[in-house]
């Protein structure tokens, strides 16, 4: 399921994935903030609206927003809703992990793999 807002922000969930839906949303928003596609002060869709767009329970989206708030990625305020607070400070290993991920993509694409195949390979490695 996919939701797109007026800015072109796209969030997708896969209800067949073993990753909980709230975690999928949390990961995507965190990645968008890290990539500067969402910046400090940007408003996220209201939980009810996003839940309706994705066909999810409001509590699922609320949990994702709560997890994001707990890590400092977003802040929830009355009247203004949920807004991006800023990126989470990267750990010292963040550069190494980002480089390894870029290498995975480069090697996979050179081998003709699709994005889905790359993600599947990464998920398999996480299970080891």
């Amino acid at each position: 399921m996919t939701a797109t807002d007026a800015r072109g922000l796209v969030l997708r969930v896969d209800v067949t994935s073993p990753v909980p839906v709230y975690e999928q949303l949390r990961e995507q928003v965190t990645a968008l903030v890290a990539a500067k596609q969402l910046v400090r002060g940007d408003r996220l869709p209201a939980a009810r609206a996003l839940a309706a767009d994705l066909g999810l329970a409001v509590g699922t989206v609320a949990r994702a927003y709560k997890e994001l708030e707990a890590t400092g990625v977003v802040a929830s305020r009355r009247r203004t809703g949920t807004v991006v607070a800023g990126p989470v400070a990267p750990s010292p290993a963040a550069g190494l992990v980002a480089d390894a991920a870029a290498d995975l993509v480069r090697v996979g694409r050179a081998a003709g793999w699709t994005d889905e195949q790359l993600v599947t390979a990464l998920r398999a490695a996480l299970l080891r």
Side-chain angles (χ1 to χ4, degrees):
M1 293 177 244
T2 305
T4 306
D5 75 356
R7 296 171 298 201
L9 169 70
V10 177
L11 295 173
R12 292 183 176 88
V13 294
D14 177 0
V15 295
T16 64
S17 171
V19 177
V21 173
Y22 77 88
E23 182 64 17
Q24 293 177 45
L25 291 172
R26 187 200 64 76
E27 289 173 354
Q28 289 176 63
V29 171
T30 301
L32 289 167
V33 171
K36 296 185 170 99
Q37 292 180 347
L38 285 174
V39 295
R40 183 182 304 272
D42 282 350
R43 281 186 69 190
L44 296 182
R48 287 187 193 281
L50 183 57
D53 288 349
L54 292 171
L56 303 173
V58 175
T60 301
V61 176
R63 179 161 181 193
Y65 282 8
K66 181 179 174 185
E67 299 269 340
L68 288 162
E69 189 166 16
T71 58
V73 175
V74 302
S76 296
R77 302 180 190 134
R78 289 186 182 179
R79 296 192 180 135
T80 59
T82 303
V83 297
V84 174
V88 176
S91 70
L96 293 172
V97 173
D99 290 346
D103 287 345
L104 172 67
V105 171
R106 182 182 45 75
V107 170
R109 289 208 171 124
W113 284 28
T114 66
D115 288 354
E116 186 59 36
Q117 288 172 309
L118 290 168
V119 169
T120 299
L122 179 58
R123 283 190 179 133
L126 288 168
L127 294 173
R128 288 188 221 153

